[in-house]
């Protein structure tokens, strides 16, 4: 595996385009080129498939000619794909594989390719559909953000957007907003545990024990 800090800079990359089937091949080539330059050839095929499905989703559910922006970036050791479009009402739907409906199967493929790491960030007049793909990178010693942290960041972005709308242009929460979203999420989880007859204090104690044990194992 390659250390996450050993292959130079992987700055976010974006491309604005008009939703049309003819754009798919152009986007796939761009994804191949960017990920190859980043030293991540193992992520190319899955990334191309996800970009194809996300673009097709916009064409089918928002409409031909829709202005769209594709962004590739790194979330820890994961490649993050974001697709922004101006319709906050047409939300992607994940259907069961055995469902006979024609729509929704594209997101099932994205779900499978990203190992369930995908979501939607709603804005006032637009939305961002995102997914994250595993790579062969391993976190560097100076980068504590492993896959678990990257996964939580995606969840907090969705939770924070739903609760407060405090989402940055990139679709991610700032540190302060993410902290508030995390506190709200923990509080809601404690309410859920209590509502289902569980002991919130015991759950907190067990979570703390797991956390400390993992820190000790990593040291």
């Amino acid at each position: 595996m390659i250390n996450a800090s050993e292959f130079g800079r992987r700055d976010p990359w974006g491309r604005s385009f008009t939703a049309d089937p003819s754009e798919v091949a152009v986007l796939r080539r761009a994804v191949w080129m960017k990920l190859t330059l980043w030293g991540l050839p193992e992520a190319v095929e899955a990334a191309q498939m996800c970009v194809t499905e996300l673009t097709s989703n916009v064409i089918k559910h928002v409409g031909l000619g829709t202005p769209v922006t594709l962004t590739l970036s790194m979330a820890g050791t994961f490649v993050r794909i974001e697709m922004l479009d101006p319709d906050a009402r047409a939300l992607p739907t994940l259907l069961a594989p055995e469902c006979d409906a024609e729509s929704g199967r594209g997101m099932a493929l994205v779900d499978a390719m990203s190992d369930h790491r995908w979501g939607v960030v709603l804005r006032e007049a637009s939305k961002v559909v995102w997914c994250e793909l595993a790579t062969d990178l391993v976190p560097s010693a100076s980068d504590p953000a492993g896959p678990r942290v990257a996964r939580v960041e995606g969840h907090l972005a969705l939770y924070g957007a739903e609760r407060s709308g405090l989402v940055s242009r990139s679709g991610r929460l700032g540190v302060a907003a993410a902290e508030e979203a995390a506190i709200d999420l923990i509080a809601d989880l404690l309410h859920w545990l209590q509502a289902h007859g569980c002991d919130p204090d015991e759950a907190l104690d067990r979570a703390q024990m797991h956390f400390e044990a993992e820190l000790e194992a990593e040291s």
Side-chain angles (χ1 to χ4, degrees):
M1 289 188 176
I2 303 173
N3 188 285
S5 63
E6 290 179 353
F7 209 90
R9 295 173 60 87
R10 298 185 179 92
D11 295 326
W13 170 87
R15 176 187 176 90
S16 295
F17 63 98
T18 300
D20 187 276
S22 63
E23 288 286 342
V24 173
V26 177
L27 295 173
R28 289 175 65 91
R29 284 195 297 271
V31 167
W32 170 80
M33 181 177 296
K34 181 55 59 176
L35 294 185
T36 300
L37 288 174
W38 283 358
L40 303 173
E42 73 279 2
V44 168
E45 183 177 0
Q48 288 180 323
M49 293 178 70
C50 288
V51 167
T52 298
E53 294 303 328
L54 293 177
T55 304
S56 298
N57 251 23
V58 174
I59 294 172
K60 185 170 185 178
H61 298 292
V62 183
L64 280 169
T66 299
V68 188
T69 299
L70 167 68
T71 302
L72 298 182
S73 61
M74 297 302 299
T77 60
F78 288 75
V79 173
R80 183 178 176 96
I81 299 170
E82 298 179 352
M83 190 80 75
L84 180 148
D85 72 68
D87 192 336
R89 299 167 299 172
L91 300 180
T93 302
L94 179 63
L95 299 180
E98 65 273 9
C99 182
D100 292 331
E102 294 183 2
S103 62
R105 293 189 174 186
M107 291 313 300
L109 179 58
V110 171
D111 182 69
M113 290 290 99
S114 62
D115 194 24
H116 315 302
R117 297 171 62 96
W118 70 276
V120 184
V121 176
L122 294 177
R123 302 175 182 175
E124 185 175 348
S126 64
K127 70 174 179 294
V128 173
V129 183
W130 62 269
C131 64
E132 293 179 347
L133 307 174
T135 69
D136 287 343
L137 295 175
V138 294
S140 64
S142 60
D143 180 13
R148 198 167 195 172
V149 173
R151 180 170 67 247
V152 170
E153 286 178 348
H155 292 314
L156 287 180
L158 294 176
Y159 197 80
E162 180 182 352
R163 293 296 295 266
S164 63
L166 298 176
V167 182
S168 68
R169 186 178 180 185
S170 68
R172 298 186 184 183
L173 295 174
V175 174
E179 182 180 12
E180 290 302 314
I183 292 170
D184 283 344
L185 177 56
I186 293 170
D188 283 353
L189 288 172
L190 295 176
H191 281 294
W192 183 90
L193 288 165
Q194 186 175 53
H196 287 76
C198 304
D199 185 343
D201 290 331
E202 180 185 355
L204 279 176
D205 289 341
R206 290 169 59 190
Q208 183 71 22
M209 290 174 59
H210 282 300
F211 174 68
E212 292 175 354
E214 290 171 2
L215 284 182
E216 184 176 350
E218 292 172 0
S219 62

